[in-house]
Amino acid sequence: MNRKIIAICLSGTLLLSGCAGHRHPYYGHGRVPIGLQVSFLVQSPPPPRRVVIPPRPVSGAIWIDGYWNWTGVRFVWVDGFWERNPPRGKTWEKHRWIHTERGWYQKPGRWK
């Protein structure tokens, strides 16, 4: 009985591990530069949305712009927001999409 359960679990693991090798047609091939989270895409991101920035909620808050994020299937908009407690002495580097000869990749926003 235990051997049957182990055999079923192992075969299920092997079956699922085959899915991990699937490549989405939008992804290119090659190494992604350090600090980047998305493989190269053939499809370009949509232009940034125009938004009305709401009033600053508290003194010292910093506006973080929205951006298009790739879900692996399509682009979705991530709304901007006010960061109420930004780290002292740091500046916000915007989330960016960068185009190269291999395609598009995103560089996430960060404090620097």
Side-chain angles (χ1 to χ4, degrees):
M1 178 80 171
N2 286 338
R3 287 184 182 177
K4 278 187 177 181
I5 292 172
I6 292 171
I8 291 170
C9 289
L10 286 175
S11 63
T13 302
L14 290 173
L15 180 65
L16 290 175
S17 66
C19 297
H22 173 71
R23 291 194 181 269
H24 194 280
Y26 286 116
Y27 289 121
H29 302 284
R31 292 176 9 139
V32 177
I34 294 172
L36 303 174
Q37 295 179 344
V38 173
S39 297
F40 290 96
L41 301 173
V42 176
Q43 180 181 1
S44 66
R49 286 186 176 175
R50 290 185 176 210
V51 297
V52 176
I53 299 173
R56 185 184 310 262
V58 295
S59 176
I62 294 178
W63 178 253
I64 306 294
D65 287 329
Y67 60 93
W68 288 104
N69 190 40
W70 178 250
T71 67
V73 178
R74 64 188 178 99
F75 288 98
V76 294
W77 180 254
V78 176
D79 287 328
F81 64 95
W82 283 105
E83 175 58 58
R84 293 174 175 256
N85 298 306
R88 287 182 182 250
K90 302 268 185 171
T91 57
W92 179 253
E93 184 178 281
K94 289 182 178 186
H95 182 100
R96 297 182 295 143
W97 280 95
I98 299 168
H99 187 244
T100 70
E101 69 279 354
R102 291 192 283 171
W104 291 88
Y105 67 90
Q106 64 178 328
K107 185 172 182 182
R110 66 186 179 108
W111 293 101
K112 61 176 193 159

Short mmCIF file of all heavy atoms in Angstrom, two decimals, residues 33-72:
data_model
loop_
_atom_site.label_atom_id
_atom_site.label_comp_id
_atom_site.label_asym_id
_atom_site.label_seq_id
_atom_site.Cartn_x
_atom_site.Cartn_y
_atom_site.Cartn_z
N PRO A 33 20.06 40.60 -17.41
CA PRO A 33 21.01 41.32 -16.56
C PRO A 33 20.63 41.25 -15.08
O PRO A 33 19.46 41.13 -14.74
CB PRO A 33 20.92 42.76 -17.08
CG PRO A 33 20.44 42.62 -18.48
CD PRO A 33 19.54 41.43 -18.48
N ILE A 34 21.62 41.34 -14.21
CA ILE A 34 21.40 41.25 -12.77
C ILE A 34 20.41 42.31 -12.31
O ILE A 34 20.44 43.44 -12.77
CB ILE A 34 22.74 41.44 -12.03
CG1 ILE A 34 23.65 40.27 -12.36
CG2 ILE A 34 22.54 41.56 -10.52
CD1 ILE A 34 25.06 40.41 -11.85
N GLY A 35 19.51 41.93 -11.40
CA GLY A 35 18.54 42.86 -10.85
C GLY A 35 17.24 42.95 -11.62
O GLY A 35 16.35 43.70 -11.26
N LEU A 36 17.10 42.17 -12.68
CA LEU A 36 15.88 42.23 -13.48
C LEU A 36 15.06 40.98 -13.22
O LEU A 36 15.59 39.92 -12.97
CB LEU A 36 16.23 42.34 -14.96
CG LEU A 36 17.09 43.55 -15.25
CD1 LEU A 36 17.52 43.55 -16.69
CD2 LEU A 36 16.35 44.83 -14.92
N GLN A 37 13.74 41.13 -13.31
CA GLN A 37 12.85 40.05 -12.91
C GLN A 37 12.15 39.35 -14.07
O GLN A 37 11.59 38.30 -13.88
CB GLN A 37 11.79 40.57 -11.94
CG GLN A 37 12.39 41.04 -10.64
CD GLN A 37 11.35 41.58 -9.71
OE1 GLN A 37 10.24 41.89 -10.11
NE2 GLN A 37 11.70 41.72 -8.46
N VAL A 38 12.14 39.93 -15.24
CA VAL A 38 11.37 39.37 -16.34
C VAL A 38 12.30 39.05 -17.50
O VAL A 38 13.20 39.82 -17.81
CB VAL A 38 10.29 40.38 -16.80
CG1 VAL A 38 9.59 39.91 -18.05
CG2 VAL A 38 9.29 40.59 -15.69
N SER A 39 12.07 37.92 -18.14
CA SER A 39 12.83 37.58 -19.34
C SER A 39 12.49 38.57 -20.45
O SER A 39 11.52 39.30 -20.36
CB SER A 39 12.47 36.17 -19.79
OG SER A 39 12.83 35.23 -18.82
N PHE A 40 13.26 38.55 -21.49
CA PHE A 40 13.03 39.45 -22.61
C PHE A 40 11.71 39.12 -23.30
O PHE A 40 11.37 37.96 -23.49
CB PHE A 40 14.18 39.35 -23.61
CG PHE A 40 15.45 39.93 -23.07
CD1 PHE A 40 16.40 39.12 -22.50
CD2 PHE A 40 15.67 41.29 -23.13
CE1 PHE A 40 17.57 39.65 -21.99
CE2 PHE A 40 16.83 41.84 -22.62
CZ PHE A 40 17.79 41.02 -22.05
N LEU A 41 10.96 40.16 -23.67
CA LEU A 41 9.68 40.01 -24.35
C LEU A 41 9.80 40.58 -25.76
O LEU A 41 10.46 41.57 -25.97
CB LEU A 41 8.58 40.80 -23.62
CG LEU A 41 8.31 40.42 -22.17
CD1 LEU A 41 7.32 41.40 -21.56
CD2 LEU A 41 7.78 39.02 -22.10
N VAL A 42 9.11 39.96 -26.68
CA VAL A 42 9.06 40.46 -28.05
C VAL A 42 8.05 41.61 -28.11
O VAL A 42 8.26 42.60 -28.79
CB VAL A 42 8.66 39.33 -29.02
CG1 VAL A 42 8.50 39.86 -30.42
CG2 VAL A 42 9.69 38.21 -28.97
N GLN A 43 6.96 41.48 -27.37
CA GLN A 43 5.88 42.47 -27.36
C GLN A 43 6.27 43.67 -26.50
O GLN A 43 6.76 43.51 -25.39
CB GLN A 43 4.63 41.79 -26.78
CG GLN A 43 3.43 42.67 -26.70
CD GLN A 43 2.25 41.92 -26.10
OE1 GLN A 43 2.36 40.76 -25.74
NE2 GLN A 43 1.14 42.59 -26.01
N SER A 44 6.05 44.88 -27.02
CA SER A 44 6.36 46.08 -26.24
C SER A 44 5.24 46.39 -25.25
O SER A 44 4.08 46.07 -25.50
CB SER A 44 6.56 47.27 -27.17
OG SER A 44 5.36 47.59 -27.82
N PRO A 45 5.59 47.01 -24.11
CA PRO A 45 4.55 47.38 -23.15
C PRO A 45 3.72 48.54 -23.69
O PRO A 45 4.20 49.32 -24.52
CB PRO A 45 5.34 47.80 -21.92
CG PRO A 45 6.68 48.20 -22.44
CD PRO A 45 6.92 47.36 -23.65
N PRO A 46 2.46 48.66 -23.24
CA PRO A 46 1.65 49.81 -23.66
C PRO A 46 2.25 51.11 -23.11
O PRO A 46 3.05 51.08 -22.17
CB PRO A 46 0.29 49.56 -23.00
CG PRO A 46 0.29 48.12 -22.60
CD PRO A 46 1.72 47.74 -22.38
N PRO A 47 1.88 52.25 -23.69
CA PRO A 47 2.37 53.52 -23.13
C PRO A 47 1.82 53.73 -21.72
O PRO A 47 0.73 53.23 -21.40
CB PRO A 47 1.84 54.58 -24.10
CG PRO A 47 0.76 53.93 -24.87
CD PRO A 47 1.00 52.45 -24.84
N PRO A 48 2.55 54.44 -20.85
CA PRO A 48 2.05 54.69 -19.49
C PRO A 48 0.69 55.39 -19.53
O PRO A 48 0.41 56.17 -20.43
CB PRO A 48 3.11 55.59 -18.88
CG PRO A 48 4.33 55.40 -19.70
CD PRO A 48 3.84 55.06 -21.08
N ARG A 49 -0.12 55.07 -18.55
CA ARG A 49 -1.43 55.73 -18.44
C ARG A 49 -1.25 57.14 -17.90
O ARG A 49 -0.35 57.39 -17.12
CB ARG A 49 -2.34 54.96 -17.49
CG ARG A 49 -2.86 53.68 -18.06
CD ARG A 49 -3.87 53.09 -17.11
NE ARG A 49 -4.46 51.89 -17.70
CZ ARG A 49 -5.31 51.11 -17.08
NH1 ARG A 49 -5.67 51.38 -15.83
NH2 ARG A 49 -5.81 50.06 -17.68
N ARG A 50 -2.15 58.02 -18.32
CA ARG A 50 -2.20 59.36 -17.73
C ARG A 50 -3.15 59.28 -16.55
O ARG A 50 -4.28 58.83 -16.70
CB ARG A 50 -2.70 60.38 -18.74
CG ARG A 50 -1.70 60.64 -19.82
CD ARG A 50 -2.19 61.73 -20.73
NE ARG A 50 -1.16 62.02 -21.70
CZ ARG A 50 -0.97 63.19 -22.23
NH1 ARG A 50 -1.76 64.20 -21.92
NH2 ARG A 50 -0.01 63.38 -23.10
N VAL A 51 -2.67 59.70 -15.40
CA VAL A 51 -3.49 59.63 -14.20
C VAL A 51 -3.48 60.98 -13.49
O VAL A 51 -2.54 61.75 -13.63
CB VAL A 51 -3.00 58.53 -13.22
CG1 VAL A 51 -3.11 57.16 -13.84
CG2 VAL A 51 -1.58 58.78 -12.77
N VAL A 52 -4.54 61.21 -12.75
CA VAL A 52 -4.60 62.40 -11.90
C VAL A 52 -4.06 61.97 -10.53
O VAL A 52 -4.61 61.06 -9.90
CB VAL A 52 -6.04 62.94 -11.78
CG1 VAL A 52 -6.10 64.10 -10.81
CG2 VAL A 52 -6.57 63.31 -13.14
N ILE A 53 -2.97 62.60 -10.12
CA ILE A 53 -2.37 62.25 -8.83
C ILE A 53 -3.19 62.89 -7.71
O ILE A 53 -3.42 64.09 -7.72
CB ILE A 53 -0.90 62.72 -8.77
CG1 ILE A 53 -0.10 62.02 -9.87
CG2 ILE A 53 -0.30 62.44 -7.39
CD1 ILE A 53 1.32 62.53 -10.02
N PRO A 54 -3.65 62.06 -6.77
CA PRO A 54 -4.45 62.61 -5.67
C PRO A 54 -3.59 63.51 -4.77
O PRO A 54 -2.36 63.43 -4.81
CB PRO A 54 -4.94 61.37 -4.91
CG PRO A 54 -4.03 60.27 -5.31
CD PRO A 54 -3.48 60.62 -6.66
N PRO A 55 -4.24 64.34 -3.96
CA PRO A 55 -3.48 65.23 -3.08
C PRO A 55 -2.56 64.44 -2.13
O PRO A 55 -2.89 63.33 -1.72
CB PRO A 55 -4.55 65.97 -2.27
CG PRO A 55 -5.81 65.79 -3.04
CD PRO A 55 -5.68 64.53 -3.82
N ARG A 56 -1.44 65.06 -1.77
CA ARG A 56 -0.48 64.45 -0.85
C ARG A 56 -1.17 64.22 0.50
O ARG A 56 -1.72 65.14 1.08
CB ARG A 56 0.73 65.37 -0.69
CG ARG A 56 1.85 64.79 0.15
CD ARG A 56 2.98 65.81 0.35
NE ARG A 56 3.42 66.44 -0.88
CZ ARG A 56 4.49 66.07 -1.59
NH1 ARG A 56 5.23 65.08 -1.16
NH2 ARG A 56 4.80 66.68 -2.70
N PRO A 57 -1.15 62.97 1.00
CA PRO A 57 -1.87 62.68 2.24
C PRO A 57 -1.20 63.24 3.49
O PRO A 57 -1.87 63.62 4.44
CB PRO A 57 -1.92 61.15 2.28
CG PRO A 57 -0.74 60.72 1.49
CD PRO A 57 -0.54 61.77 0.43
N VAL A 58 0.15 63.25 3.50
CA VAL A 58 0.90 63.77 4.64
C VAL A 58 2.16 64.45 4.13
O VAL A 58 2.65 64.14 3.04
CB VAL A 58 1.30 62.65 5.64
CG1 VAL A 58 0.09 62.01 6.29
CG2 VAL A 58 2.16 61.60 4.98
N SER A 59 2.68 65.37 4.91
CA SER A 59 3.91 66.05 4.54
C SER A 59 5.03 65.00 4.46
O SER A 59 5.13 64.11 5.30
CB SER A 59 4.25 67.08 5.61
OG SER A 59 5.48 67.68 5.34
N GLY A 60 5.86 65.09 3.43
CA GLY A 60 6.98 64.17 3.27
C GLY A 60 6.66 62.93 2.45
O GLY A 60 7.56 62.17 2.11
N ALA A 61 5.38 62.71 2.11
CA ALA A 61 5.02 61.55 1.29
C ALA A 61 5.57 61.72 -0.12
O ALA A 61 5.68 62.84 -0.62
CB ALA A 61 3.51 61.36 1.26
N ILE A 62 5.92 60.63 -0.77
CA ILE A 62 6.47 60.66 -2.13
C ILE A 62 5.58 59.82 -3.04
O ILE A 62 5.18 58.71 -2.70
CB ILE A 62 7.91 60.10 -2.14
CG1 ILE A 62 8.82 61.03 -1.36
CG2 ILE A 62 8.41 59.90 -3.56
CD1 ILE A 62 10.25 60.56 -1.26
N TRP A 63 5.25 60.39 -4.21
CA TRP A 63 4.42 59.68 -5.19
C TRP A 63 5.25 58.65 -5.94
O TRP A 63 6.32 58.94 -6.48
CB TRP A 63 3.81 60.66 -6.18
CG TRP A 63 2.98 59.98 -7.22
CD1 TRP A 63 3.30 59.79 -8.54
CD2 TRP A 63 1.70 59.37 -7.03
NE1 TRP A 63 2.30 59.11 -9.17
CE2 TRP A 63 1.29 58.83 -8.27
CE3 TRP A 63 0.85 59.24 -5.94
CZ2 TRP A 63 0.10 58.17 -8.45
CZ3 TRP A 63 -0.34 58.58 -6.11
CH2 TRP A 63 -0.72 58.06 -7.35
N ILE A 64 4.76 57.40 -5.97
CA ILE A 64 5.38 56.30 -6.72
C ILE A 64 4.48 56.07 -7.94
O ILE A 64 3.32 55.70 -7.80
CB ILE A 64 5.45 55.01 -5.88
CG1 ILE A 64 6.16 55.24 -4.55
CG2 ILE A 64 6.09 53.88 -6.68
CD1 ILE A 64 7.61 55.61 -4.63
N ASP A 65 5.02 56.32 -9.14
CA ASP A 65 4.23 56.17 -10.37
C ASP A 65 3.76 54.74 -10.60
O ASP A 65 4.44 53.78 -10.23
CB ASP A 65 5.06 56.58 -11.59
CG ASP A 65 5.25 58.07 -11.69
OD1 ASP A 65 4.36 58.82 -11.25
OD2 ASP A 65 6.30 58.49 -12.22
N GLY A 66 2.61 54.62 -11.28
CA GLY A 66 2.12 53.32 -11.71
C GLY A 66 2.92 52.83 -12.90
O GLY A 66 3.70 53.57 -13.50
N TYR A 67 2.73 51.57 -13.26
CA TYR A 67 3.47 51.00 -14.39
C TYR A 67 2.73 49.77 -14.93
O TYR A 67 1.85 49.22 -14.27
CB TYR A 67 4.89 50.59 -13.95
CG TYR A 67 4.91 49.55 -12.85
CD1 TYR A 67 4.98 48.19 -13.14
CD2 TYR A 67 4.84 49.92 -11.51
CE1 TYR A 67 4.97 47.24 -12.14
CE2 TYR A 67 4.84 48.98 -10.50
CZ TYR A 67 4.91 47.64 -10.82
OH TYR A 67 4.90 46.70 -9.82
N TRP A 68 3.11 49.36 -16.12
CA TRP A 68 2.59 48.14 -16.73
C TRP A 68 3.44 46.97 -16.26
O TRP A 68 4.66 47.01 -16.37
CB TRP A 68 2.62 48.22 -18.24
CG TRP A 68 1.60 49.14 -18.80
CD1 TRP A 68 1.82 50.39 -19.30
CD2 TRP A 68 0.19 48.90 -18.92
NE1 TRP A 68 0.63 50.94 -19.71
CE2 TRP A 68 -0.39 50.05 -19.49
CE3 TRP A 68 -0.64 47.84 -18.58
CZ2 TRP A 68 -1.74 50.16 -19.74
CZ3 TRP A 68 -1.99 47.95 -18.84
CH2 TRP A 68 -2.53 49.10 -19.41
N ASN A 69 2.80 45.94 -15.77
CA ASN A 69 3.50 44.72 -15.35
C ASN A 69 3.11 43.57 -16.28
O ASN A 69 1.98 43.50 -16.74
CB ASN A 69 3.13 44.37 -13.90
CG ASN A 69 4.00 43.27 -13.35
OD1 ASN A 69 5.20 43.23 -13.59
ND2 ASN A 69 3.41 42.37 -12.60
N TRP A 70 4.04 42.69 -16.56
CA TRP A 70 3.80 41.52 -17.41
C TRP A 70 3.44 40.35 -16.52
O TRP A 70 4.19 39.99 -15.60
CB TRP A 70 5.05 41.23 -18.23
CG TRP A 70 4.91 40.02 -19.10
CD1 TRP A 70 5.55 38.83 -18.94
CD2 TRP A 70 4.10 39.89 -20.26
NE1 TRP A 70 5.17 37.97 -19.94
CE2 TRP A 70 4.29 38.59 -20.76
CE3 TRP A 70 3.23 40.75 -20.93
CZ2 TRP A 70 3.64 38.13 -21.90
CZ3 TRP A 70 2.59 40.29 -22.07
CH2 TRP A 70 2.80 39.00 -22.55
N THR A 71 2.28 39.71 -16.75
CA THR A 71 1.82 38.59 -15.93
C THR A 71 2.31 37.25 -16.46
O THR A 71 2.08 36.23 -15.81
CB THR A 71 0.28 38.54 -15.88
OG1 THR A 71 -0.21 38.23 -17.19
CG2 THR A 71 -0.31 39.84 -15.37
N GLY A 72 2.93 37.24 -17.61
CA GLY A 72 3.30 35.98 -18.26
C GLY A 72 2.36 35.69 -19.41
O GLY A 72 2.63 34.85 -20.25
#
